[in-house]
Structures are given as structure tokens and as C-alpha cells.
Amino acid sequence: MTQLFTNLRLLDPEAGTLGPGAVLVRDGLIAEVWDQAPEPPEEAQVIDCGGHILAPGIVDIGVKVCEPGERHKESYRSAGRAAAAGGVTTMVTRPDTDPAIDSPETLEFVTRRANEAAPVNVVPMAALTKGRAGREMTEIGFLMDAGAAAFTDCDRVVTDTKVFSRALTYARSLGALVIAHPQDPGLSKGAAVTSGKFASLRGLPAVSPMAERMGLDRDIALLEMTGARYHADQITTARALPALERAKRNGLDITAGLGIHHLTLNALDVADYRTFFKVKPPLRDEDDRLAVAHAVASGLIDIICSMHTPQDEESKRLPFEEAASGAVGLETLLPAAMRLVHAEIMDLPTLWRALSLNPAKRLGLPGGRIAPGAPADMVLFNPDAPFVLDRATLRSKSRNTPFDGMRMQGKVLATYVAGSCVFEAN
């Protein structure tokens, strides 16, 4: 099948440009890219994009799909539909399921389920230690052969430094990427909010931002010792940024990311104990939010993700301290991220490097680009379209979004995976 996408503004994060263009897709791959639309080939289906922006599909690292174990919260089918509606063409899924994805057999099961049910690409990650218990590392080589893109125990920090250093050393020998959650577990245990005046007034258990800095310092020391490939999943505080900058300057193979909620919300949004705003790590002060947003703009923080974590109503309708952490984000990632552009913190090509190009490059995936030979995984969107988010319309099984009722800008019009339209707005 041949398609010609015309009458569009082409967003190219690799070149850092946004301007008029046209894209020819043949058999699921991008064949040609032009500044001006050519005469369409006779066999081509012409798709008029209405002057809107065509960009590489979002590559979302850290999506939780609750299969196996908790399908009532999220399945590959519902997560895939939500991803398509949010312009996410590749979900990189977490292994914090029940049981954890820590064996080739479990990994093959979820890969098969994903391929059957999800309309978008699904790339699974595997656990770094068995049962995510931090005591014994998984069979990293066999899991890589089965298709694991990276290895992580998610928000469970491997506290035994000997176990973690051995896992990093072994991962380095295989070229595997390790993703870790930099947070000192002793300081952060039981915390529901970030420490400060607001936490004291609300009487909630809190954690100092230094817990993140201390966890990152430990991981950087182990990286110096092992030389492993490492990605910090959530850098959310200003105090962690100097250590990250030094590690990069010293040549360590380290990248960092954070979730969209920490880029667009702050600790005061918790207000009267609203549990949809309870995430892990907890929302930070406004100074921290601005610091990490500017770190994304400068390239110090490499990746933005949704950190999609479905929780059912029973898990959230509890006292704040007892409620489960996490928020869904597949459908809200793009409009929430557009807040950073509308606030003039960064431009669209910079944002799209963090949403699409950088995660694809870090994981060795072919997406994230609009260039000849790349897969035709693309999103067509209107960056300025206003709407009020109604969580009842979300396609996820769980609808625990902090953006319910908020005015947002940026609407996905169509999503294409390998040239096939998997979502089209009404």
C-alpha cells in the first residue's frame, strides 16, 4: 500500500525543524520526505492532513499494563486503545505485574497477548531481580533472547549493593540497559507527599527531596565501578540535577527521564487530599518542577514518559496516606506535554526529542524519526485545539487521572502504526 500525506506541517525532532512538508509511505515504511508536496504517484492514496502537524509517534517508556494478575485495572487491549488515542505508537511496558515478568516464559506470554490485543507496538521490559525482590538477578541473557528491551525492578529499589553491582556488571557484559528508580528507600518508606510546610499542615508522612539525590549518587558510584548502561526512570528534583550533569560530563553511559505529571503538576495540587494526585515519587514543589522542565529543554533530562499506572476506584477512594500511588497517562501525555510548549519552556522539536526520538534511540528501536526507511509510526495532531478533559471518556479501564475537569490544549487527530490508521478522532 502506498500513501501520500500532504498539506501538513512536518515535525522532525532529529533535524529540530517544524515546517511544510509531505511524506510518502510505502508498505509500512517511510519512502520519501519532501519540503513541498509532489505529484502523487498513480497508485497512492492521498491523505490531506488539513494543515495540522505530522510527527513521529510517541515512544512511551514505563507503561504499566496489568496483565498478568490485574486485568480489571488494565489489559493490553484497553491500554493499546488508549495509547492509539494518545498518539503513542510504541508502549514500552513495565514488569511490575503479578507475577512479575522475570522469566522467558512469562515474557513470551505477555508478548503474545500484546501482539494479539494491542493496535500499537508493544516492547516489554523484564525484571532485574527475581520477583523484583532484590535478592537474586534474573536470567538476563535468556530474557534478552526472548525480547526484553531493558531490565528494571520499577519502583522497588535494589537495596543490596552487591546484588545490584553484580547485575550491572552482568548487564554490561551483554549490552543490556538497566532502568532504576533513584530513591533512598529508607527515607522514602511510607511517604505520601514531599516534605515541606504543605505536608506539615496536612499532617501527611513526607519524604525529603534529598532521598532522590542520595539514591542517584549511589547508582552513579556503581556505574563508575561497573560501566553499565543505565537510565534513571524519574528525576524530579533540582537537587539531583548537578549529580546527573557531572555523571554525563564524566562520560558515564547514563540517561534520565521523568513522568509528565511531575512536569506539569506540583505538590500544592494535592490540595484537600485528592488521591488522584498521589504518585510515586510524590509531586514536588514548583521550584523543582520548573528546574526539571528546564533540564528537559536543555537536554540534561533525556526522556518524558506517561508513567501510566492504572489503579481502580477501590485503590484510590481511600484516605490519602493509604491510597495507591499512580495515575493513568497514555491519553493525556500529549496535551499535558503541550503545556510546556504553550508556556514557552521549550519548542515542539525539543519536546518531541524527549517524547519520541530519545526513547527510541536509548532502547535501540527504529521509531522516533520521520526519515526514509523508518517505520511509518506517526501522529497527526492539532497543538492548539482546546478541550476540557472528562475522565469518563478515557479508554483505559482505570480512569485515575489528575487532569479530570482541566482545560487542556492539544488534540490527537489520527495515529498511524506501520502506515495503518489505528485511531481517528471523531
Side-chain angles (χ1 to χ4, degrees):
M1 186 171 69
T2 303
Q3 301 148 295
L4 180 64
F5 292 80
T6 65
N7 188 19
L8 56 87
R9 288 187 289 158
L10 188 62
L11 175 53
D12 186 345
E14 202 167 28
T17 57
L18 173 64
V23 177
L24 183 70
V25 172
R26 186 174 286 120
D27 298 329
L29 297 175
I30 295 171
E32 296 286 348
V33 180
W34 296 281
D35 293 335
Q36 294 181 339
E39 284 295 319
E42 286 185 11
E43 74 280 12
Q45 173 193 3
V46 178
I47 299 172
D48 188 326
C49 297
H52 298 299
I53 295 176
L54 187 71
I58 296 170
V59 179
D60 191 2
I61 289 184
V63 175
K64 180 168 183 177
V65 180
C66 305
E67 288 190 63
E70 297 176 302
R71 281 192 67 193
H72 65 286
K73 292 184 178 181
E74 193 79 285
S75 66
Y76 278 102
R77 187 176 304 281
S78 61
R81 290 174 61 236
V88 175
T89 54
T90 299
M91 296 191 297
V92 184
T93 57
R94 304 193 325 238
D96 53 344
T97 49
D98 185 17
I101 301 170
D102 60 0
S103 68
E105 293 78 17
T106 313
L107 185 65
E108 287 166 3
F109 163 77
V110 299
T111 302
R112 186 170 62 251
R113 281 286 304 135
N115 289 337
E116 290 171 356
V120 300
N121 304 310
V122 178
V123 179
M125 297 188 286
L128 183 65
T129 65
K130 292 184 178 178
R132 297 170 54 235
R135 291 190 293 269
E136 183 182 356
M137 69 179 177
T138 54
E139 296 170 323
I140 293 175
F142 290 147
L143 285 162
M144 286 183 75
D145 291 342
F151 296 85
T152 178
D153 279 354
C154 304
D155 59 356
R156 288 191 188 171
V157 177
V158 181
T159 56
D160 189 322
T161 50
K162 183 167 282 188
V163 170
F164 194 35
S165 65
R166 284 175 175 169
L168 287 169
T169 301
Y170 193 62
R172 177 182 180 270
S173 70
L174 296 170
L177 177 66
V178 173
I179 298 179
H181 184 70
Q183 193 85 205
D184 181 273
L187 284 175
S188 59
K189 184 177 181 181
V193 290
T194 298
S195 60
K197 184 178 179 181
F198 180 78
S200 299
L201 288 172
R202 288 292 184 267
L204 293 169
V207 57
S208 167
M210 283 301 292
E212 182 173 282
R213 162 74 182 278
M214 291 165 65
L216 184 62
D217 281 340
R218 183 203 73 152
D219 288 2
I220 288 172
L222 291 173
L223 283 186
E224 290 182 7
M225 186 170 78
T226 61
R229 299 176 63 221
Y230 173 95
H231 176 75
D233 69 344
Q234 293 261 62
I235 296 296
T236 61
T237 67
R239 290 184 178 182
L241 296 176
L244 175 63
E245 194 275 332
R246 282 194 305 273
K248 287 192 168 190
R249 190 173 66 242
N250 291 338
L252 297 182
D253 193 348
I254 181 172
T255 51
L258 81 164
I260 190 61
H261 301 107
H262 289 89
L263 277 170
T264 53
L265 303 169
N266 66 34
L268 297 180
D269 286 308
V270 171
D272 295 323
Y273 307 100
R274 291 188 287 177
T275 58
F276 280 2
F277 291 83
K278 185 181 181 183
V279 293
K280 188 183 287 186
L283 293 174
R284 307 301 193 181
D285 293 336
E286 179 66 4
D287 288 346
D288 284 316
R289 186 192 74 82
L290 289 173
V292 294
H294 287 293
V296 174
S298 71
L300 179 58
I301 293 179
D302 307 86
I303 291 169
I304 299 172
C305 66
S306 69
M307 203 49 69
H308 180 80
T309 306
Q311 301 289 2
D312 55 18
E313 298 283 333
E314 290 76 14
S315 301
K316 281 291 189 182
R317 295 197 181 281
L318 292 170
F320 195 91
E321 188 176 341
E322 299 171 24
S325 297
V328 293
L330 284 166
E331 286 181 75
T332 55
L333 175 55
L334 187 148
M338 287 306 303
R339 290 182 171 191
L340 302 169
V341 175
H342 294 307
E344 298 183 350
I345 291 174
M346 65 188 73
D347 59 17
L348 270 169
T350 301
L351 175 64
W352 236 258
R353 275 198 294 273
L355 285 173
S356 186
L357 179 63
N358 288 346
K361 287 170 66 175
R362 190 55 168 155
L363 291 167
L365 302 175
R369 301 176 302 123
I370 292 189
D377 298 343
M378 303 178 295
V379 55
L380 180 69
F381 70 100
N382 182 342
D384 303 313
F387 67 99
V388 176
L389 184 77
D390 178 2
R391 74 186 188 97
T393 65
L394 296 179
R395 289 159 181 80
S396 294
K397 284 189 177 182
S398 297
R399 292 166 177 170
N400 51 306
T401 175
F403 296 117
D404 184 38
M406 289 192 185
R407 295 181 181 276
M408 307 188 84
Q409 272 184 288
K411 200 165 186 179
V412 174
L413 304 175
T415 304
Y416 299 88
V417 175
S420 297
C421 185
V422 294
F423 170 79
E424 191 168 10
N426 296 329

